[in-house]
Amino acid sequence: MRLSLSVLLVTLALDSYEANATVCPDFVNISKGFLFQDAASFKTTIQGKFNPPQGVIEDYLEVKKCTDRISAGNRKRLGEALGEIVLSCT
């Protein structure tokens, strides 16, 4: 759980560097996919949206292996926290 929380916090910090920033819808969708999609679906999602280099995809999937070990209930709680953060930024 430490790793997933760290990933979430770093992602939020990078995305919310301005006090009045609005949240990019793609960021929300990718974050939800990272938490809830299986690895193959997530890979297809990030390839379709951003077409990143293969090394980046492999890195995402390596970290995703860790988050996939988090219980469904805890992933749901992380998703809810993300939703609350997004709402507070709009």
mmCIF file of all heavy atoms in Angstrom, residues 6-43:
data_model
loop_
_atom_site.group_PDB
_atom_site.id
_atom_site.type_symbol
_atom_site.label_atom_id
_atom_site.label_comp_id
_atom_site.label_asym_id
_atom_site.label_seq_id
_atom_site.Cartn_x
_atom_site.Cartn_y
_atom_site.Cartn_z
ATOM 1 N N SER A 6 2.232 6.386 -2.528
ATOM 2 C CA SER A 6 3.306 7.256 -3.009
ATOM 3 C C SER A 6 3.084 7.642 -4.463
ATOM 4 O O SER A 6 3.239 8.805 -4.840
ATOM 5 C CB SER A 6 4.660 6.556 -2.865
ATOM 6 O OG SER A 6 4.921 6.278 -1.529
ATOM 7 N N VAL A 7 2.702 6.670 -5.288
ATOM 8 C CA VAL A 7 2.444 6.938 -6.704
ATOM 9 C C VAL A 7 1.302 7.932 -6.834
ATOM 10 O O VAL A 7 1.375 8.886 -7.615
ATOM 11 C CB VAL A 7 2.129 5.629 -7.463
ATOM 12 C CG1 VAL A 7 1.618 5.917 -8.860
ATOM 13 C CG2 VAL A 7 3.357 4.747 -7.526
ATOM 14 N N LEU A 8 0.244 7.731 -6.075
ATOM 15 C CA LEU A 8 -0.895 8.638 -6.121
ATOM 16 C C LEU A 8 -0.490 10.055 -5.718
ATOM 17 O O LEU A 8 -0.826 11.027 -6.402
ATOM 18 C CB LEU A 8 -2.020 8.129 -5.212
ATOM 19 C CG LEU A 8 -3.268 8.989 -5.133
ATOM 20 C CD1 LEU A 8 -3.944 9.083 -6.493
ATOM 21 C CD2 LEU A 8 -4.233 8.421 -4.100
ATOM 22 N N LEU A 9 0.256 10.180 -4.644
ATOM 23 C CA LEU A 9 0.653 11.509 -4.170
ATOM 24 C C LEU A 9 1.585 12.211 -5.149
ATOM 25 O O LEU A 9 1.446 13.408 -5.400
ATOM 26 C CB LEU A 9 1.305 11.403 -2.792
ATOM 27 C CG LEU A 9 0.359 10.992 -1.656
ATOM 28 C CD1 LEU A 9 1.146 10.802 -0.370
ATOM 29 C CD2 LEU A 9 -0.740 12.014 -1.474
ATOM 30 N N VAL A 10 2.522 11.483 -5.732
ATOM 31 C CA VAL A 10 3.432 12.085 -6.711
ATOM 32 C C VAL A 10 2.652 12.521 -7.937
ATOM 33 O O VAL A 10 2.846 13.626 -8.459
ATOM 34 C CB VAL A 10 4.564 11.104 -7.092
ATOM 35 C CG1 VAL A 10 5.330 11.594 -8.298
ATOM 36 C CG2 VAL A 10 5.496 10.914 -5.912
ATOM 37 N N THR A 11 1.746 11.683 -8.398
ATOM 38 C CA THR A 11 0.937 12.027 -9.563
ATOM 39 C C THR A 11 0.105 13.266 -9.289
ATOM 40 O O THR A 11 0.019 14.163 -10.121
ATOM 41 C CB THR A 11 0.024 10.846 -9.951
ATOM 42 O OG1 THR A 11 0.835 9.691 -10.160
ATOM 43 C CG2 THR A 11 -0.746 11.144 -11.211
ATOM 44 N N LEU A 12 -0.505 13.321 -8.123
ATOM 45 C CA LEU A 12 -1.295 14.493 -7.779
ATOM 46 C C LEU A 12 -0.429 15.743 -7.676
ATOM 47 O O LEU A 12 -0.832 16.826 -8.109
ATOM 48 C CB LEU A 12 -2.041 14.256 -6.472
ATOM 49 C CG LEU A 12 -3.181 13.249 -6.554
ATOM 50 C CD1 LEU A 12 -3.720 12.957 -5.152
ATOM 51 C CD2 LEU A 12 -4.285 13.741 -7.451
ATOM 52 N N ALA A 13 0.742 15.609 -7.111
ATOM 53 C CA ALA A 13 1.639 16.762 -6.986
ATOM 54 C C ALA A 13 2.054 17.281 -8.354
ATOM 55 O O ALA A 13 2.086 18.483 -8.594
ATOM 56 C CB ALA A 13 2.862 16.381 -6.165
ATOM 57 N N LEU A 14 2.362 16.373 -9.268
ATOM 58 C CA LEU A 14 2.773 16.796 -10.604
ATOM 59 C C LEU A 14 1.620 17.414 -11.375
ATOM 60 O O LEU A 14 1.809 18.346 -12.152
ATOM 61 C CB LEU A 14 3.336 15.601 -11.388
ATOM 62 C CG LEU A 14 4.656 15.052 -10.876
ATOM 63 C CD1 LEU A 14 5.031 13.784 -11.640
ATOM 64 C CD2 LEU A 14 5.757 16.085 -10.989
ATOM 65 N N ASP A 15 0.417 16.897 -11.162
ATOM 66 C CA ASP A 15 -0.734 17.396 -11.906
ATOM 67 C C ASP A 15 -1.283 18.683 -11.306
ATOM 68 O O ASP A 15 -1.855 19.501 -11.999
ATOM 69 C CB ASP A 15 -1.839 16.342 -11.952
ATOM 70 C CG ASP A 15 -2.951 16.751 -12.883
ATOM 71 O OD1 ASP A 15 -2.702 16.863 -14.106
ATOM 72 O OD2 ASP A 15 -4.057 16.983 -12.387
ATOM 73 N N SER A 16 -1.133 18.891 -10.011
ATOM 74 C CA SER A 16 -1.763 20.007 -9.324
ATOM 75 C C SER A 16 -0.751 21.039 -8.869
ATOM 76 O O SER A 16 -0.831 21.558 -7.767
ATOM 77 C CB SER A 16 -2.541 19.479 -8.117
ATOM 78 O OG SER A 16 -3.461 18.511 -8.524
ATOM 79 N N TYR A 17 0.188 21.381 -9.728
ATOM 80 C CA TYR A 17 1.239 22.298 -9.309
ATOM 81 C C TYR A 17 0.758 23.731 -9.201
ATOM 82 O O TYR A 17 1.400 24.557 -8.584
ATOM 83 C CB TYR A 17 2.442 22.207 -10.247
ATOM 84 C CG TYR A 17 2.159 22.662 -11.659
ATOM 85 C CD1 TYR A 17 2.418 23.958 -12.055
ATOM 86 C CD2 TYR A 17 1.629 21.779 -12.589
ATOM 87 C CE1 TYR A 17 2.157 24.359 -13.347
ATOM 88 C CE2 TYR A 17 1.355 22.182 -13.874
ATOM 89 C CZ TYR A 17 1.624 23.480 -14.250
ATOM 90 O OH TYR A 17 1.349 23.877 -15.515
ATOM 91 N N GLU A 18 -0.387 24.066 -9.777
ATOM 92 C CA GLU A 18 -0.946 25.406 -9.636
ATOM 93 C C GLU A 18 -2.097 25.343 -8.645
ATOM 94 O O GLU A 18 -2.866 24.386 -8.623
ATOM 95 C CB GLU A 18 -1.465 25.917 -10.968
ATOM 96 C CG GLU A 18 -0.386 26.179 -11.992
ATOM 97 C CD GLU A 18 -0.959 26.722 -13.287
ATOM 98 O OE1 GLU A 18 -2.047 27.290 -13.279
ATOM 99 O OE2 GLU A 18 -0.290 26.565 -14.302
ATOM 100 N N ALA A 19 -2.248 26.393 -7.855
ATOM 101 C CA ALA A 19 -3.305 26.393 -6.847
ATOM 102 C C ALA A 19 -4.690 26.386 -7.474
ATOM 103 O O ALA A 19 -5.630 25.839 -6.921
ATOM 104 C CB ALA A 19 -3.145 27.604 -5.942
ATOM 105 N N ASN A 20 -4.822 26.979 -8.641
ATOM 106 C CA ASN A 20 -6.138 27.048 -9.276
ATOM 107 C C ASN A 20 -6.230 26.108 -10.476
ATOM 108 O O ASN A 20 -6.999 26.342 -11.394
ATOM 109 C CB ASN A 20 -6.436 28.481 -9.697
ATOM 110 C CG ASN A 20 -5.430 28.993 -10.709
ATOM 111 O OD1 ASN A 20 -4.454 28.344 -11.005
ATOM 112 N ND2 ASN A 20 -5.685 30.184 -11.234
ATOM 113 N N ALA A 21 -5.463 25.053 -10.470
ATOM 114 C CA ALA A 21 -5.434 24.120 -11.590
ATOM 115 C C ALA A 21 -6.752 23.359 -11.691
ATOM 116 O O ALA A 21 -7.372 23.040 -10.684
ATOM 117 C CB ALA A 21 -4.285 23.132 -11.427
ATOM 118 N N THR A 22 -7.152 23.096 -12.918
ATOM 119 C CA THR A 22 -8.278 22.202 -13.134
ATOM 120 C C THR A 22 -7.704 20.848 -13.520
ATOM 121 O O THR A 22 -6.622 20.756 -14.090
ATOM 122 C CB THR A 22 -9.205 22.721 -14.238
ATOM 123 O OG1 THR A 22 -8.457 22.883 -15.432
ATOM 124 C CG2 THR A 22 -9.841 24.042 -13.844
ATOM 125 N N VAL A 23 -8.420 19.814 -13.200
ATOM 126 C CA VAL A 23 -7.915 18.473 -13.423
ATOM 127 C C VAL A 23 -8.232 18.036 -14.846
ATOM 128 O O VAL A 23 -9.358 18.143 -15.308
ATOM 129 C CB VAL A 23 -8.533 17.494 -12.411
ATOM 130 C CG1 VAL A 23 -8.029 16.084 -12.643
ATOM 131 C CG2 VAL A 23 -8.229 17.952 -10.991
ATOM 132 N N CYS A 24 -7.217 17.546 -15.507
ATOM 133 C CA CYS A 24 -7.354 17.059 -16.868
ATOM 134 C C CYS A 24 -8.192 15.777 -16.857
ATOM 135 O O CYS A 24 -7.885 14.849 -16.090
ATOM 136 C CB CYS A 24 -5.964 16.791 -17.440
ATOM 137 S SG CYS A 24 -5.960 15.990 -19.039
ATOM 138 N N PRO A 25 -9.223 15.683 -17.689
ATOM 139 C CA PRO A 25 -10.041 14.459 -17.722
ATOM 140 C C PRO A 25 -9.221 13.210 -18.055
ATOM 141 O O PRO A 25 -9.507 12.133 -17.526
ATOM 142 C CB PRO A 25 -11.068 14.738 -18.822
ATOM 143 C CG PRO A 25 -11.118 16.219 -18.944
ATOM 144 C CD PRO A 25 -9.754 16.715 -18.576
ATOM 145 N N ASP A 26 -8.220 13.341 -18.915
ATOM 146 C CA ASP A 26 -7.378 12.185 -19.230
ATOM 147 C C ASP A 26 -6.622 11.707 -18.002
ATOM 148 O O ASP A 26 -6.436 10.500 -17.810
ATOM 149 C CB ASP A 26 -6.393 12.508 -20.348
ATOM 150 C CG ASP A 26 -7.049 12.558 -21.715
ATOM 151 O OD1 ASP A 26 -8.134 11.947 -21.871
ATOM 152 O OD2 ASP A 26 -6.488 13.189 -22.615
ATOM 153 N N PHE A 27 -6.189 12.632 -17.157
ATOM 154 C CA PHE A 27 -5.509 12.262 -15.919
ATOM 155 C C PHE A 27 -6.425 11.420 -15.029
ATOM 156 O O PHE A 27 -6.024 10.400 -14.489
ATOM 157 C CB PHE A 27 -5.037 13.513 -15.164
ATOM 158 C CG PHE A 27 -4.623 13.228 -13.752
ATOM 159 C CD1 PHE A 27 -3.417 12.605 -13.485
ATOM 160 C CD2 PHE A 27 -5.441 13.565 -12.685
ATOM 161 C CE1 PHE A 27 -3.030 12.325 -12.186
ATOM 162 C CE2 PHE A 27 -5.068 13.292 -11.386
ATOM 163 C CZ PHE A 27 -3.862 12.673 -11.136
ATOM 164 N N VAL A 28 -7.669 11.843 -14.915
ATOM 165 C CA VAL A 28 -8.626 11.119 -14.090
ATOM 166 C C VAL A 28 -8.858 9.723 -14.665
ATOM 167 O O VAL A 28 -8.846 8.727 -13.930
ATOM 168 C CB VAL A 28 -9.957 11.899 -13.975
ATOM 169 C CG1 VAL A 28 -11.011 11.079 -13.255
ATOM 170 C CG2 VAL A 28 -9.731 13.223 -13.271
ATOM 171 N N ASN A 29 -9.058 9.639 -15.966
ATOM 172 C CA ASN A 29 -9.316 8.343 -16.597
ATOM 173 C C ASN A 29 -8.124 7.399 -16.475
ATOM 174 O O ASN A 29 -8.289 6.205 -16.203
ATOM 175 C CB ASN A 29 -9.703 8.529 -18.063
ATOM 176 C CG ASN A 29 -11.057 9.196 -18.205
ATOM 177 O OD1 ASN A 29 -11.913 9.071 -17.345
ATOM 178 N ND2 ASN A 29 -11.248 9.917 -19.289
ATOM 179 N N ILE A 30 -6.933 7.918 -16.679
ATOM 180 C CA ILE A 30 -5.739 7.082 -16.557
ATOM 181 C C ILE A 30 -5.551 6.635 -15.115
ATOM 182 O O ILE A 30 -5.208 5.479 -14.846
ATOM 183 C CB ILE A 30 -4.487 7.834 -17.071
ATOM 184 C CG1 ILE A 30 -4.586 8.069 -18.575
ATOM 185 C CG2 ILE A 30 -3.206 7.099 -16.722
ATOM 186 C CD1 ILE A 30 -4.628 6.810 -19.419
ATOM 187 N N SER A 31 -5.803 7.521 -14.169
ATOM 188 C CA SER A 31 -5.664 7.155 -12.757
ATOM 189 C C SER A 31 -6.660 6.072 -12.375
ATOM 190 O O SER A 31 -6.316 5.118 -11.666
ATOM 191 C CB SER A 31 -5.865 8.381 -11.872
ATOM 192 O OG SER A 31 -4.865 9.336 -12.135
ATOM 193 N N LYS A 32 -7.894 6.199 -12.835
ATOM 194 C CA LYS A 32 -8.898 5.166 -12.562
ATOM 195 C C LYS A 32 -8.496 3.848 -13.216
ATOM 196 O O LYS A 32 -8.624 2.785 -12.619
ATOM 197 C CB LYS A 32 -10.266 5.603 -13.077
ATOM 198 C CG LYS A 32 -10.929 6.651 -12.237
ATOM 199 C CD LYS A 32 -12.287 6.996 -12.817
ATOM 200 C CE LYS A 32 -12.967 8.087 -12.039
ATOM 201 N NZ LYS A 32 -14.254 8.462 -12.644
ATOM 202 N N GLY A 33 -8.021 3.928 -14.448
ATOM 203 C CA GLY A 33 -7.576 2.720 -15.131
ATOM 204 C C GLY A 33 -6.421 2.057 -14.415
ATOM 205 O O GLY A 33 -6.357 0.829 -14.322
ATOM 206 N N PHE A 34 -5.511 2.868 -13.896
ATOM 207 C CA PHE A 34 -4.364 2.342 -13.158
ATOM 208 C C PHE A 34 -4.829 1.551 -11.937
ATOM 209 O O PHE A 34 -4.270 0.514 -11.601
ATOM 210 C CB PHE A 34 -3.449 3.493 -12.745
ATOM 211 C CG PHE A 34 -2.144 3.051 -12.159
ATOM 212 C CD1 PHE A 34 -1.137 2.567 -12.972
ATOM 213 C CD2 PHE A 34 -1.923 3.120 -10.803
ATOM 214 C CE1 PHE A 34 0.080 2.162 -12.432
ATOM 215 C CE2 PHE A 34 -0.715 2.722 -10.252
ATOM 216 C CZ PHE A 34 0.282 2.235 -11.074
ATOM 217 N N LEU A 35 -5.876 2.024 -11.297
ATOM 218 C CA LEU A 35 -6.378 1.353 -10.106
ATOM 219 C C LEU A 35 -7.277 0.155 -10.416
ATOM 220 O O LEU A 35 -7.235 -0.846 -9.714
ATOM 221 C CB LEU A 35 -7.160 2.334 -9.227
ATOM 222 C CG LEU A 35 -6.348 3.399 -8.507
ATOM 223 C CD1 LEU A 35 -7.275 4.400 -7.838
ATOM 224 C CD2 LEU A 35 -5.434 2.761 -7.478
ATOM 225 N N PHE A 36 -8.095 0.254 -11.470
ATOM 226 C CA PHE A 36 -9.175 -0.716 -11.640
ATOM 227 C C PHE A 36 -9.100 -1.607 -12.877
ATOM 228 O O PHE A 36 -9.734 -2.653 -12.904
ATOM 229 C CB PHE A 36 -10.525 0.007 -11.634
ATOM 230 C CG PHE A 36 -10.772 0.766 -10.352
ATOM 231 C CD1 PHE A 36 -10.817 2.143 -10.343
ATOM 232 C CD2 PHE A 36 -10.926 0.093 -9.157
ATOM 233 C CE1 PHE A 36 -11.033 2.839 -9.176
ATOM 234 C CE2 PHE A 36 -11.136 0.786 -7.973
ATOM 235 C CZ PHE A 36 -11.193 2.163 -7.982
ATOM 236 N N GLN A 37 -8.368 -1.225 -13.915
ATOM 237 C CA GLN A 37 -8.306 -2.061 -15.115
ATOM 238 C C GLN A 37 -7.274 -3.173 -14.953
ATOM 239 O O GLN A 37 -6.312 -3.029 -14.203
ATOM 240 C CB GLN A 37 -7.924 -1.230 -16.345
ATOM 241 C CG GLN A 37 -8.988 -0.291 -16.833
ATOM 242 C CD GLN A 37 -8.520 0.486 -18.063
ATOM 243 O OE1 GLN A 37 -7.339 0.754 -18.226
ATOM 244 N NE2 GLN A 37 -9.463 0.848 -18.907
ATOM 245 N N ASP A 38 -7.473 -4.250 -15.716
ATOM 246 C CA ASP A 38 -6.427 -5.270 -15.762
ATOM 247 C C ASP A 38 -5.263 -4.718 -16.593
ATOM 248 O O ASP A 38 -5.412 -3.708 -17.297
ATOM 249 C CB ASP A 38 -6.964 -6.581 -16.354
ATOM 250 C CG ASP A 38 -7.455 -6.408 -17.769
ATOM 251 O OD1 ASP A 38 -8.641 -6.050 -17.944
ATOM 252 O OD2 ASP A 38 -6.660 -6.625 -18.696
ATOM 253 N N ALA A 39 -4.112 -5.353 -16.507
ATOM 254 C CA ALA A 39 -2.893 -4.836 -17.140
ATOM 255 C C ALA A 39 -3.044 -4.670 -18.647
ATOM 256 O O ALA A 39 -2.618 -3.657 -19.214
ATOM 257 C CB ALA A 39 -1.711 -5.744 -16.824
ATOM 258 N N ALA A 40 -3.665 -5.645 -19.325
ATOM 259 C CA ALA A 40 -3.807 -5.562 -20.786
ATOM 260 C C ALA A 40 -4.692 -4.388 -21.196
ATOM 261 O O ALA A 40 -4.371 -3.649 -22.139
ATOM 262 C CB ALA A 40 -4.371 -6.873 -21.328
ATOM 263 N N SER A 41 -5.794 -4.189 -20.492
ATOM 264 C CA SER A 41 -6.688 -3.069 -20.803
ATOM 265 C C SER A 41 -6.009 -1.735 -20.519
ATOM 266 O O SER A 41 -6.143 -0.781 -21.285
ATOM 267 C CB SER A 41 -7.980 -3.166 -19.983
ATOM 268 O OG SER A 41 -8.680 -4.332 -20.305
ATOM 269 N N PHE A 42 -5.283 -1.668 -19.406
ATOM 270 C CA PHE A 42 -4.593 -0.428 -19.069
ATOM 271 C C PHE A 42 -3.536 -0.095 -20.116
ATOM 272 O O PHE A 42 -3.403 1.054 -20.529
ATOM 273 C CB PHE A 42 -3.963 -0.523 -17.676
ATOM 274 C CG PHE A 42 -3.257 0.724 -17.254
ATOM 275 C CD1 PHE A 42 -3.986 1.864 -16.947
ATOM 276 C CD2 PHE A 42 -1.885 0.775 -17.171
ATOM 277 C CE1 PHE A 42 -3.343 3.028 -16.571
ATOM 278 C CE2 PHE A 42 -1.234 1.923 -16.789
ATOM 279 C CZ PHE A 42 -1.966 3.060 -16.491
ATOM 280 N N LYS A 43 -2.808 -1.109 -20.559
ATOM 281 C CA LYS A 43 -1.789 -0.902 -21.591
ATOM 282 C C LYS A 43 -2.429 -0.333 -22.859
ATOM 283 O O LYS A 43 -1.925 0.621 -23.449
ATOM 284 C CB LYS A 43 -1.072 -2.220 -21.893
ATOM 285 C CG LYS A 43 -0.003 -2.103 -22.943
ATOM 286 C CD LYS A 43 0.690 -3.442 -23.156
ATOM 287 C CE LYS A 43 1.741 -3.329 -24.252
ATOM 288 N NZ LYS A 43 2.431 -4.605 -24.470
#
